[in-house]
Structure formats: structure tokens, C-alpha cells
Amino acid sequence: MHRRLSRSTVPASALLSAAPPTATGIVHLGLGNFHRAHQAVYTASAAAGESHPWGILGVASSSTTTARVMEEQDLLYSVVTISPDDERVSVPAVHTGVLVAAHDPGAVVGAIGDAGTRIVTITVSENGYHYSAETGSLDLDSEAIRHDLAHPAEPRTTIGHIAYGLALRADTHGAPVTVVSCDNLLANGRRTERLVRDFIAAIPAARGERTLEWLDAHASFPNSMVDRIVPASTDDHRAAAERQLGVRDAATVGAEPFSAWVLEDRFLAGRPAWERAGSVFTDDVEPYEMMKLRLLNGTHSLIAYLGALDGRATIPDAVAQPHIADAASAVLRGDYLPTVKVPDEVDVDAYTRDLFHRWSNTALGHRTSQVGSDGSVKLGQRVPAPVFHHLAGGDLPHHLALTVAAYLCCVAPPPGFDPGPHARAMVDPAARQLGELWANTTSISRFVRSAFESGRLFPRELADREPFVDRVAALADLIVRHGPAEACVDADRATRN
């Protein structure tokens, strides 16, 4: 019988911080793999073996699996840093508790509202913010947001949890707090603050007004940029952890060696010394954010959609195909890079080489279906502004059009077209609504136009850019009739002409 990971069985050499936290100072919303391989690792590493008050209360949205396993393992888990040439295992040991928001929303609100909580961090993916792609404001027509406004004791959304937690602070002790989004949103701090303020403004009676007034001086929302490829856990990751730890860990997380975290240093109630662990603090996160969201994330999406349509299960397998690698290079260098202000200290050629090296990490097993999921809330952050930039200069960004075409073929394929098992495995909140558009059209061209006009993906203003919409339709038609490789060739040919 295998021993399980616990305080008594974990090797001391694997602990990132030998001294456990003395208190809970951070509430983290989103107890997924990314948080556990990124912010938790930075927080544990920042302690440098010292006792610290920055223990993390991890809050899962609805799944009980990770929370249950961590409770059984003394709140411990391992991170396998893995590449084709090496594997290293560490145990952050920084969590002080776990909750499941769907089961106890009141406890989550209470934790955010507790005077001991000085930082709230978030990794719930773009889909967890309930904002309108059209306006960037909170989607007050969302069923989930309407529920939270009507049931303050039982909020279901991340924004609802934060808003009511801040209202509790304003109603009671009034201690300051900092809220840090670690999701891939443009200006994620400012966006989060806007959504929270939209929610609080909709709270009935004087409580909303009082909370907004308190918020002005007692809460900050710094922007941040996070970067690390963290796939879904696999049996290979768990086996690697067991080989090195000598014990079984049911909550192992696999991650690539690369990791980055850039933040604005606007913390009203203190923070861990994350710079000890390699974090960068700056007055202007936006250049790093744009570089990551467009060059890395935008290109990553194209690789995922083309790879899935090409029958490739993983990102390394996809980018190993010459037509996909060429399309990825073209969208990165030709369509995204001209729209990004690269920080002075970044060598963009080296950065690009590193991206392809990271995407080629066969040891990770990063699935195209995982990277391609939730495209309706990701592409709206990445595609419109670069498209407008190129069209204003008289150019048509063919590989951005290919990105949208491949996405639509994956999540809302035409009747009779099979995008393959990896595309079918993608999860997208707009898939049903996009699929319903096929009931009212008989052509790919009309479907694509309806998708743009729906406002589900992009601001409706983009639907007025007919050359781009027509190009998306033409490339989608090529994918359906001749496959993704032919569409890549066509996009490349058009770019060169």
C-alpha cells in the first residue's frame, strides 16, 4: 500500500518553505492547477524559510475534488516542473485551508470580509468575470449576476463574492485590502475594479453607496501579468511526483520550467516579498500584458484550433506540423507583433524563440482541447484591437482571420462537418448560441456574418469591417472543404501577395 503525501511523509528537501505560515493573509478564488503552480509557488518561495503571515485560503468554484484531496493530504500537493530533459518536484506547503464556493458561499464572503485578509487573488479564467464583450461592463442581464443581486447571502459568481466581501469590510472593521486578478484580461486590475463597482452600484439601498465610498480609499486593484504553461494533470505527472517524493500525491500539478509574474506595486495592506521568488514590480504592466496576451496567448489559440482540426491531441504535436508552425509564426510576427509595444529590456527575437521552445515541450502533454476552450471570452481580448490596427493601415490580417475561422469550425461546425474529437472536446460558453445560428442560414458566409453581428464574440463594430468578415468566411469554407492545411497555405499566400 502506497503512503500518501502528508506533513509526516513529505521530504524536507521538497518543501519550498520549511516554515509554515503563521496566519491566513490571502484568499484565493480559483483553486485550479494554475494557481497551485504559480501564485502559491511564488508565495511559498518568497518566504525563504521564514515564518510568515501570508497563508492562502484556497477557494474552489464548484468542484470538490482538489479541495477534498488537499484536506486529506494536510493541505499539501506537489508541483512537477517538467521538460523532455528534466523533472523536478516541489511542495509549496502554503495553504491554510480550502473552501468550495458553491457549497458555502457565505464562508467565502466572510473570508474576504475578514480583517485578517489583506489580499484577494483570482484565477477563474476569463469566463468567470461575467462581463459584456460589447461594453466591457458587468453583464447585469446575466442570470448568474441577477441571482447574486437578488440573493446576497448566496452569491454564485466571483464578482458577487468579492463585492459582498468588500461590502462586509465596509460595514464592519473597514480594514484595507488589495484585489489582484491573475487572469488573462486586458488591464485585468482595472477591469476587475470596474466589474466590482458595477455590481456594488446595483446593490439596492444605501449599502451600495456606502461601499463604493469606502472602496475609494480602502481597496486597490493592481494590474498584473502571469505566465506559465500549466496543463491538466496526467498520470505521467503523478508518477513523476511519486518517483521523487517516495509517496503518492493525488493532487499533483505539472508545469513547464518557465514562470513569470509582473505586478503593479499598489498593495494597501502589505504583501509577500514576491520579488524574492522572481516577480517583477513595475509602474506599467501593460507592455508585458499585451506581449503575453497577443504574442503568446493569441498565437497559442491559433495553434490549438488548427491542431485540433488537424487531429492533433497536444500542442507540441500541433506545432510540430510545418503548416501550423508557419501559421503560428506568421500570426505572431505579422499580425500581433506590430500592435505590441515590447518592453525595452525584452529581446523579442529571443522571446519568440522561447515561445516555440515552450510550445514544443512534449513532456507536458498540454492538450489542444484545453487551450482551445473558452475561446469566445479569450479571442475578444486578443483579436479586435489588432484587426482594427491593420485595417486602419490598409492591411488585411489574414492569420487573425484564420484564427477566428478555425475557432468557429471547432466550436460551431457547419452541419455535416466533423471537426474531430479534439475540437468536440472544447468547452465554450457561446457554443450553443453559435450553433443555433445554423438554423437560420444555409451558407458559411451568412453564418460567419451572423456570428459577428451577434455580439457574443466581438464588439459589433467589427461586423462592419466587411473585408475581414468576408476573409474569415472564406477561410472557414476552405477548412470545411479542404482541411486546415489548405487554409494555412491560402492565408500564407495572401499575406505574401
Side-chain angles (χ1 to χ4, degrees):
M1 180 159 179
H2 293 269
R3 295 185 302 159
R4 296 288 295 271
L5 186 66
S6 67
R7 292 282 176 186
S8 61
T9 63
V10 61
S13 59
L15 290 170
L16 289 181
S17 177
T22 58
T24 298
I26 302 172
V27 171
H28 181 81
L29 306 178
L31 192 61
N33 281 11
F34 186 81
H35 158 68
R36 293 186 294 126
H38 191 271
Q39 297 90 9
V41 169
Y42 276 89
T43 302
S45 300
E50 303 170 358
S51 295
H52 62 94
W54 298 111
I56 301 173
L57 172 65
V59 181
S61 297
S62 58
S63 174
T64 61
T65 303
T66 298
R68 175 181 52 78
V69 171
M70 286 182 62
E71 286 180 329
E72 292 172 351
Q73 297 183 169
D74 295 339
L75 301 173
L76 301 178
Y77 64 91
S78 58
V79 177
V80 181
T81 302
I82 191 166
S83 69
D85 303 321
D86 188 30
E87 61 184 32
R88 291 176 285 109
V89 178
S90 59
V91 178
V94 74
H95 289 84
T96 52
V98 289
L99 291 172
V100 179
H103 292 184
D104 199 349
V108 178
V109 171
I112 295 171
D114 189 273
T117 297
R118 295 192 271 169
I119 299 173
V120 177
T121 53
I122 316 165
T123 53
V124 293
S125 83
E126 297 92 330
N127 192 38
Y129 286 77
H130 292 88
Y131 64 89
S132 166
E134 183 74 15
T135 66
S137 300
L138 186 67
D139 184 2
L140 292 170
D141 293 327
S142 160
E143 179 181 349
I145 295 297
R146 291 203 308 269
H147 169 276
D148 285 6
L149 288 169
H151 301 87
E154 299 177 344
R156 297 173 179 172
T157 69
T158 297
I159 298 301
H161 292 137
I162 295 171
Y164 286 125
L166 296 179
L168 179 60
R169 299 179 79 93
D171 290 343
T172 53
H173 50 80
V177 68
T178 297
V179 179
V180 185
S181 169
C182 301
D183 284 304
N184 292 322
L185 298 171
L186 292 172
N188 56 11
R190 291 194 296 274
R191 173 66 62 85
T192 303
E193 180 174 13
R194 177 176 179 177
L195 300 177
V196 169
R197 284 181 176 274
D198 287 347
F199 188 101
I200 293 173
I203 295 176
R207 191 184 193 201
E209 295 180 7
R210 184 171 63 251
T211 302
L212 286 174
E213 183 178 351
W214 173 86
L215 212 62
D216 291 338
H218 297 87
S220 63
F221 296 79
N223 291 324
S224 75
M225 184 283 290
V226 297
D227 190 3
R228 193 175 199 185
I229 294 176
V230 183
S233 298
T234 68
D235 288 340
D236 287 344
H237 300 153
R238 287 182 280 270
E242 187 168 358
R243 280 195 301 272
Q244 296 212 20
L245 294 175
V247 295
R248 175 171 293 174
D249 173 19
T252 296
V253 180
E256 67 168 333
F258 180 89
S259 185
W261 196 5
V262 182
L263 307 97
E264 291 177 334
D265 202 356
R266 297 194 297 114
F267 289 78
L268 300 185
R271 61 168 177 80
W274 284 317
E275 62 272 26
R276 287 184 183 174
S279 293
V280 174
F281 287 91
T282 178
D283 293 333
D284 187 9
V285 172
E286 184 174 349
Y288 299 91
E289 180 183 61
M290 287 293 188
M291 187 171 67
K292 194 255 181 174
L293 286 174
R294 294 180 183 172
L295 304 189
L296 190 158
N297 296 130
T299 307
H300 212 186
S301 290
L302 178 60
I303 295 169
Y305 299 130
L306 291 175
L309 292 166
D310 204 49
R312 311 296 168 178
T314 68
I315 294 295
D317 192 14
V319 82
Q321 310 311 311
H323 63 283
I324 297 178
D326 289 345
S329 181
V331 78
L332 191 159
R333 293 184 175 278
D335 289 356
Y336 282 124
L337 185 56
T339 73
V340 172
K341 179 184 177 183
V342 178
D344 292 339
E345 66 273 20
V346 174
D347 180 335
V348 73
D349 290 329
Y351 180 81
T352 300
R353 288 193 299 271
D354 286 345
L355 287 181
F356 278 89
H357 179 73
R358 293 167 64 190
W359 291 325
S360 300
N361 186 345
T362 55
L364 277 180
H366 206 188
R367 303 190 71 80
T368 53
S369 58
Q370 179 185 358
V371 176
S373 289
D374 293 332
S376 59
V377 288
K378 293 176 179 177
L379 297 185
Q381 296 284 317
R382 304 167 188 173
V383 169
V387 170
F388 290 135
H389 171 92
H390 287 288
L391 292 178
D395 296 322
L396 186 60
H398 295 279
H399 287 87
L400 288 176
L402 180 62
T403 301
V404 180
Y407 160 75
L408 290 172
C409 288
C410 282
V411 304
F417 173 68
D418 183 2
H422 309 302
R424 290 197 302 273
M426 293 178 185
V427 177
D428 195 290
R432 180 178 60 82
Q433 293 91 334
L434 290 172
E436 290 172 352
L437 296 177
W438 281 109
N440 300 313
T441 185
T442 57
S443 71
I444 289 178
S445 178
R446 184 61 244 173
F447 164 75
V448 170
R449 177 156 295 282
S450 297
F452 275 88
E453 292 173 346
S454 72
R456 290 289 308 180
L457 301 176
F458 309 115
R460 287 184 177 86
E461 182 185 1
L462 193 54
D464 296 332
R465 304 305 196 266
E466 292 189 5
F468 182 75
V469 177
D470 291 344
R471 188 64 177 130
V472 171
L475 288 166
D477 185 63
L478 271 176
I479 290 171
V480 170
R481 289 191 296 113
H482 299 294
E486 184 61 31
C488 290
V489 170
D490 190 82
D492 180 66
R493 183 187 303 119
T495 299
R496 294 175 185 275
N497 289 340

